Amino acid sequence: KNSNMEEDYAVPVTVITGFLGAGKTTLLNYILTFNHGKRIAVIQNEFGAQIGIETATVVGKDGERVDEWLELPNGCVCCSVRSDLVMTLETLVAKKRFDYIFIETTGLADPGPLASSLWLDEALESKIYLDAIVTVVDAKFFEKSLKEIREGNEVNEAQRQVAFADVLLVNKCDLVSEEELRSLEKVIKEMNPLALIRKTIKAEIKLDELLDIHAFDKDQMLSIDPLLATNETSHAHDDHHHKDSGCSHAEGESHNANCRPEFHNDSVQTVCIEVEGETELSLLNQWFADLFWENKFGCQIFRTKGLTTIKGAEEKCMIQGVHDNFDIGLTDITWGPNEKRTNKLVFIGRKLDAVVLRNDLIAQCFKEASTQ
């Protein structure tokens, strides 16, 4: 690449989360040792503690230890983070040229704040950008973890990790039956139909299936169109005679995608909203600000994706939300001359009422659309 391309290059960052024993260590061992021809930096919370690699030390300008790192024979680098993660990543990228960066979180860690920080840093024209969140799950025990109820109305950690995932790596598939695997996959899809599911044994997977996902690329939002047309999650739109997940509900009422009796009422769910018409960008921004920051309706939102149409714009508008941050912006894709301009939103979270959300969205942003 020429010097200009080098200056413009930003390194994609993949966040890897999952419970202890799911197979994160096995996956990272593969990344750090296999001769895959890619220069990858792997950032771990506890350097060397799990993968058994002897550490080296990098000393900062002030003489204090900045981080621990080790360059491996395949060109990858493994290091730990002792301070601000984003600053450490940018320092690392400034020192060496990497193709990709993987960040491992602890088993009980909430990936939301980390992903939100990386995504926000990308908006500030950083040399790194968030590519995807990968959750590694144990095929044998994960469904049991999903059903555990926490005290104090806290969200189940396993459900939270599913909610934030762009890719779900279902590992140890050889330890379960086909029926058990189908059951787990159904439960996962009900909670997060947006995520890609990869089935593995001993966490062996082609790296290309984990890299360059571009889950936060605004032009990738177009991929949700077929999802909203065919998914089996909770909907709120004009036609209530749609196919749902098998849970009956009366016309005009909301329902949860995961209303199966073994799940707690506060379990993670996915709702989809469809509204026709056009809106002003300022109205849409205000509606999402109230929803995300003012805790409107008392719901807890982990991920949001959607497409909408803005008055006076021929381009489709992308909506993306992670944790407590959201972004709304025009894509490079224009509406077709005969294409129906339907606004489609997907929310993954808790205590979500699809009908209430849709009616309020109409009242605030799409007054010309008919309420239910």
Side-chain angles (χ1 to χ4, degrees):
K1 293 183 178 182
N2 59 40
S3 59
N4 290 334
M5 293 179 68
E6 290 285 350
E7 290 178 2
D8 295 338
Y9 182 78
V11 182
V13 177
T14 300
V15 175
I16 301 180
T17 186
F19 279 13
L20 183 65
K24 289 188 301 176
T25 300
T26 305
L27 176 63
L28 292 174
N29 266 323
Y30 165 73
I31 294 171
L32 288 169
T33 59
F34 188 75
N35 188 21
H36 42 63
K38 298 176 174 64
R39 290 187 57 83
I40 301 176
V42 174
I43 314 297
Q44 292 186 294
N45 293 327
E46 295 296 331
F47 176 81
Q50 295 181 12
I51 60 175
I53 296 178
E54 183 179 358
T55 66
T57 302
V58 174
V59 179
K61 293 180 180 179
D62 55 0
E64 295 182 0
R65 185 174 65 187
V66 177
D67 50 32
E68 294 176 325
W69 69 283
L70 183 66
E71 185 162 0
L72 302 171
N74 67 348
C76 292
V77 166
C78 185
C79 72
S80 65
V81 176
R82 300 269 189 248
S83 57
D84 181 80
L85 175 62
V86 174
M87 185 180 298
T88 300
L89 290 175
E90 292 181 340
T91 301
L92 188 66
V93 170
K95 291 179 180 179
K96 286 182 174 289
R97 169 64 188 270
F98 293 101
D99 300 315
Y100 302 94
I101 296 174
F102 281 77
I103 302 174
E104 180 213 8
T105 66
T106 58
L108 296 178
D110 177 0
L114 171 59
S116 184
S117 297
L118 291 168
W119 188 39
L120 182 61
D121 199 60
E122 176 190 350
L124 300 177
E125 299 184 354
S126 170
K127 291 297 183 182
I128 58 175
Y129 72 89
L130 181 60
D131 185 55
I133 302 171
V134 177
T135 297
V136 184
V137 305
D138 186 324
K140 189 171 181 62
F141 298 109
F142 194 65
E143 189 167 357
K144 179 182 178 181
S145 299
L146 287 172
K147 298 172 185 175
E148 293 177 357
I149 299 175
R150 296 291 181 264
E151 295 181 1
N153 199 33
E154 290 295 321
V155 65
N156 179 306
E157 294 89 354
Q159 293 185 18
R160 187 189 296 267
Q161 291 178 354
V162 169
F164 279 109
D166 299 298
V167 179
L168 281 153
L169 198 156
V170 181
N171 191 35
K172 303 183 181 181
C173 290
D174 55 326
L175 302 182
V176 297
S177 67
E178 287 294 328
E179 183 179 351
E180 290 172 319
L181 195 56
R182 283 194 297 269
S183 175
L184 175 60
E185 189 171 356
K186 183 176 186 295
V187 170
I188 288 174
K189 284 184 176 179
E190 287 174 348
M191 290 185 174
N192 184 351
L194 297 174
L196 301 171
I197 297 179
R198 310 295 192 200
K199 303 171 187 176
T200 64
I201 297 174
K202 297 181 180 179
E204 294 180 359
I205 186 172
K206 294 180 180 179
L207 278 188
D208 290 344
E209 295 186 27
L210 295 180
L211 303 174
D212 297 318
I213 302 297
H214 297 288
F216 298 85
D217 186 332
K218 63 183 180 180
D219 290 328
Q220 291 294 315
M221 293 302 98
L222 295 176
S223 65
I224 75 170
D225 274 17
L227 168 73
L228 290 176
T230 61
N231 75 72
E232 299 181 353
T233 59
S234 174
H235 284 67
H237 52 64
D238 294 328
D239 177 14
H240 275 277
H241 302 288
H242 60 278
K243 181 180 180 182
D244 59 35
S245 60
C247 304
S248 61
H249 60 286
E251 185 172 342
E253 293 181 354
S254 65
H255 92 286
N256 294 344
N258 53 343
C259 54
R260 300 181 350 173
E262 66 265 33
F263 282 94
H264 191 259
N265 289 336
D266 288 333
S267 295
V268 170
Q269 64 189 103
T270 297
V271 299
C272 304
I273 296 175
E274 298 183 27
V275 177
E276 293 184 19
E278 298 178 332
T279 186
E280 301 284 352
L281 188 58
S282 59
L283 295 176
L284 206 58
N285 269 302
Q286 185 59 55
W287 189 81
F288 272 93
D290 291 341
L291 188 64
F292 273 69
W293 301 333
E294 301 300 327
N295 197 27
K296 195 172 187 179
F297 307 123
C299 54
Q300 185 176 13
I301 298 175
F302 301 131
R303 292 293 295 270
T304 303
K305 291 188 178 184
L307 286 170
T308 189
T309 178
I310 302 299
K311 289 181 180 178
E314 290 301 316
E315 299 85 4
K316 296 183 177 182
C317 182
M318 175 278 294
I319 300 170
Q320 174 83 268
V322 182
H323 195 54
D324 57 357
N325 286 330
F326 69 91
D327 179 60
I328 304 174
L330 295 175
T331 68
D332 295 328
I333 310 300
T334 58
W335 293 95
N338 300 316
E339 187 175 3
K340 189 176 182 180
R341 300 195 176 193
T342 300
N343 304 276
K344 303 178 180 182
L345 303 179
V346 180
F347 296 97
I348 302 176
R350 295 198 305 162
K351 301 179 180 179
L352 301 173
D353 189 317
V355 174
V356 169
L357 287 171
R358 180 180 184 272
N359 286 343
D360 190 69
L361 177 65
I362 291 173
Q364 302 300 325
C365 304
F366 297 92
K367 291 184 174 63
E368 70 276 12
S370 60
T371 58
Q372 299 177 36

